[in-house]
Amino acid sequence: MCQHKGMTMFAERVTAKGRPMEGTVGTPGRDCGTHEKAVIVATGLLSDTQVATPMGWRAVEGLVAGDMVLTFDNGFREVTAVESAKIWTGDGLAPQDHWLVEMPANTLGNRTTLRLPPQQGVMVESDAAELLYGDPFSVIPALALEALPGVSRLPVRAKTRCVTLRFAEEEVVFSREGGLLHCPSSRDLLDLDGDRPQYEMLPLTLARDIVETLTLQEARASELCPMI
């Protein structure tokens, strides 16, 4: 595989081999004023998101435990739990750090606009990930995609809800918009018995570096295949 300057710069920033096990996705806290006791949900699929099922595309809020959903690695898998919650329980708008990430069509292979909570895991394909981890696919927080052209932040109001689909094991599901979205396991963290998770989300710093190489890949592709 051809290695270009962007991947070399990225590799130089990584000090450990393999997928990083430490680090969390986070955003700087801001004073919520009168909303100090408000709850913020930073992961999940917006309630109008549709996923692939044996009966076609279905909205996540209409799914129940026992329904089958198409996954990236394991075909159709049974949903073990469906959890729905407001993203923001305070009054008015949520703090800006927790606004949705909005990706217009064709930003990352998505067919239509895709909106995600900032810490929702998204699977992306990149040359840099394959170079470093031996796998071109990696899961990154949606917040890291903010650096891509056209991506913006969308205010979150109190009525906005998201749904978490859980499976027996972690899975990545297909959304109708064209996204590959991470869904957690229904197992309690204490029941993992030291097993590594199937999908390890990259820490925000490394995720942003991956996104930087994606923009370089697009620029390089444009140079090699100019529009006629």
Side-chain angles (χ1 to χ4, degrees):
M1 178 177 297
C2 178
Q3 299 178 16
H4 54 75
K5 182 178 179 182
M7 287 190 290
T8 302
M9 293 172 60
F10 173 67
E12 289 174 350
R13 296 184 219 179
V14 180
T15 58
K17 295 182 179 180
R19 293 183 182 274
M21 292 294 292
E22 298 180 356
T24 57
V25 179
T27 52
R30 294 192 180 185
D31 184 6
C32 294
T34 59
H35 307 306
E36 292 179 356
K37 295 183 179 180
V39 175
I40 296 175
V41 177
T43 64
L45 313 181
L46 293 189
S47 58
D48 59 350
T49 302
Q50 295 186 15
V51 294
T53 76
M55 295 183 291
W57 298 106
R58 294 183 59 189
V60 291
E61 66 269 26
L63 297 176
V64 297
D67 285 338
M68 304 295 287
V69 171
L70 183 62
T71 67
F72 181 76
D73 282 311
N74 300 306
F76 286 102
R77 283 292 184 265
E78 181 179 339
V79 175
T80 56
V82 180
E83 302 166 1
S84 177
K86 289 183 178 180
I87 293 181
W88 166 245
T89 62
D91 298 325
L93 299 179
Q96 189 171 351
D97 290 335
H98 302 280
W99 287 9
L100 300 176
V101 177
E102 182 177 68
M103 295 185 293
N106 301 316
T107 299
L108 201 63
N110 50 307
R111 292 180 291 275
T112 59
T113 299
L114 183 62
R115 300 180 181 91
L116 298 166
Q119 294 185 27
Q120 170 58 39
V122 182
M123 178 176 279
V124 298
E125 182 179 9
S126 70
D127 293 340
E130 184 170 24
L131 172 67
L132 291 167
Y133 310 127
D135 186 345
F137 296 98
S138 56
V139 176
I140 65 174
L143 182 61
L145 300 171
E146 189 176 15
L148 291 175
V151 175
S152 59
R153 303 296 294 276
L154 190 67
V156 173
R157 300 183 182 277
K159 65 180 181 180
T160 307
R161 300 186 70 87
C162 68
V163 174
T164 298
L165 301 180
R166 293 187 180 273
F167 297 84
E169 304 292 340
E170 292 177 80
E171 301 289 355
V172 170
V173 302
F174 297 86
S175 76
R176 187 168 191 171
E177 296 85 354
L180 292 170
L181 309 177
H182 176 263
C183 292
S185 165
S186 58
R187 292 193 295 167
D188 188 280
L189 291 176
L190 297 179
D191 295 332
L192 293 178
D193 297 326
D195 293 341
R196 294 180 63 176
Q198 182 171 352
Y199 303 100
E200 296 177 36
M201 189 182 301
L202 293 179
L204 185 57
T205 301
L206 292 184
R208 282 175 167 157
D209 288 338
I210 287 284
V211 171
E212 181 181 339
T213 67
L214 290 176
T215 59
L216 291 171
Q217 284 177 216
E218 289 294 329
R220 182 176 176 81
S222 298
E223 292 174 0
L224 295 176
C225 303
M227 295 182 62
I228 299 176

